[in-house]
Amino acid sequence: MASKDNAALEAMIEEATADTDGHEDERAGLFAMIEEHLAVPFTTTVLGVEATVRKVELAADNIVAVCARGRHRQRIDLLDLPLPTPAPDGAAWIDAYRHWAGR
């Protein structure tokens, strides 16, 4: 089962990075797919507190989720973001990004 899941993630990564040149371009390709397919906003729990993921952004060296709770905003590395159950539509692209990053 894991090899089937890995094969699906690797196919997604190939789709996102097909015309890229280098690590930064690959991350940008994956970000484009996440931005296009991830259904936001969605609610998750961060450090025991409910927060709403408003959007994703491409940062200098990672992809971050912009989380909000009331007036407060926090950017959390997408590699560290806990996903709710059930996961939002398009969350498979986060899984592909994590696989690409070796997580």
Side-chain angles (χ1 to χ4, degrees):
M1 180 82 170
S3 63
K4 183 178 180 182
D5 291 341
N6 285 344
L9 294 175
E10 288 168 11
M12 293 172 75
I13 292 165
E14 178 61 31
E15 178 183 352
T17 63
D19 295 323
T20 60
D21 183 30
H23 194 74
E24 297 302 317
D25 280 351
E26 289 178 2
R27 183 180 9 263
L30 286 159
F31 168 73
M33 296 304 253
I34 292 167
E35 186 178 45
E36 180 180 339
H37 296 284
L38 183 63
V40 291
F42 65 89
T43 302
T44 192
T45 302
V46 179
L47 296 175
V49 178
E50 189 173 275
T52 301
V53 175
R54 296 280 180 207
K55 63 181 178 176
V56 292
E57 294 179 343
L58 183 60
D61 60 350
N62 59 359
I63 301 172
V64 297
V66 178
C67 299
R69 180 172 168 86
R71 298 182 343 216
H72 302 283
R73 303 286 181 271
Q74 179 72 41
R75 286 172 173 77
I76 298 175
D77 191 322
L78 207 55
L79 297 174
D80 298 326
L81 181 73
L83 291 175
T85 302
D89 289 344
W93 284 103
I94 295 174
D95 294 337
Y97 172 59
R98 290 174 175 170
H99 184 75
W100 172 83
R103 294 262 184 114

